[in-house]
Amino acid sequence: MNLVRYEPTTLSLLNSFDRLFDGIFDDRAVNVPAVDVRETETGWNMEVDLPGLTEKDVEVKLDNNLLTISSRKEEKQEEKKNGYLLRERRSSGFCRSFVLPDDVDREKIEAAFANGVLSLSFPKLPTAQPKTIEVKVK
């Protein structure tokens, strides 16, 4: 779910023009990974697209009901050639947090990373799972 900034409607052409470029130059729109969440009868599954990262670049933390997925990657390159020195530095990262439902079994949460996709599994507590009640004839 994306949060949208609330701005009261105005008739100003200048404000409308400014909002047109908000998404283009906003760095957060580029660094936030796409997330898919599906609910099943036994729990929830989450897939986070993290192209270019490895499992060593990703950190997953759970603090009470708050699940945080983050990454910080820094690259440095230095090249000495023909009397000149070239230094390049690049830094990228993101942080996303999700509030988990109360019926998640926190002891059985699992995470796996393959082909640039982080997969998380959140099983429901046994008491929260649907139960079929047998109808008996009297």
Side-chain angles (χ1 to χ4, degrees):
M1 177 173 96
N2 292 330
L3 296 177
V4 178
R5 183 180 341 153
Y6 172 74
E7 293 183 21
T9 307
T10 61
L11 299 176
S12 169
L13 181 62
L14 185 58
N15 285 343
S16 298
F17 187 75
D18 286 342
R19 283 194 304 267
L20 178 67
F21 293 100
D22 281 351
I24 295 173
F25 299 109
D26 190 358
D27 288 339
R28 293 173 294 168
V30 176
N31 293 332
V32 178
V35 176
D36 293 325
V37 179
R38 289 182 307 281
E39 183 178 8
T40 64
E41 287 186 15
T42 60
W44 289 268
N45 295 317
M46 178 186 287
E47 291 182 348
V48 184
D49 294 337
L50 302 171
L53 297 178
T54 65
E55 68 277 357
K56 295 175 185 175
D57 300 326
V58 179
E59 182 176 53
V60 180
K61 286 185 177 180
L62 181 64
D63 184 14
N64 293 325
N65 283 354
L66 187 67
L67 176 81
T68 303
I69 303 169
S70 62
S71 174
R72 189 87 192 134
K73 188 173 183 179
E74 295 186 18
E75 298 175 12
K76 294 181 181 181
Q77 179 183 0
E78 185 173 310
E79 180 181 326
K80 293 180 182 180
K81 189 176 185 181
N82 298 331
Y84 70 86
L85 173 65
L86 172 68
R87 286 188 184 152
E88 293 184 359
R89 292 176 290 279
R90 182 177 160 204
S91 177
S92 63
F94 73 90
C95 182
R96 280 199 78 176
S97 296
F98 304 89
V99 177
L100 299 181
D102 291 329
D103 59 353
V104 169
D105 189 349
R106 283 150 187 70
E107 301 300 320
K108 295 184 180 177
I109 295 174
E110 294 181 358
F113 193 92
N115 300 324
V117 177
L118 174 65
S119 300
L120 295 149
S121 173
F122 307 97
K124 291 181 182 178
L125 290 168
T127 56
Q129 293 181 12
K131 180 180 175 184
T132 303
I133 299 172
E134 182 182 345
V135 178
K136 298 179 183 178
V137 179
K138 284 189 169 185

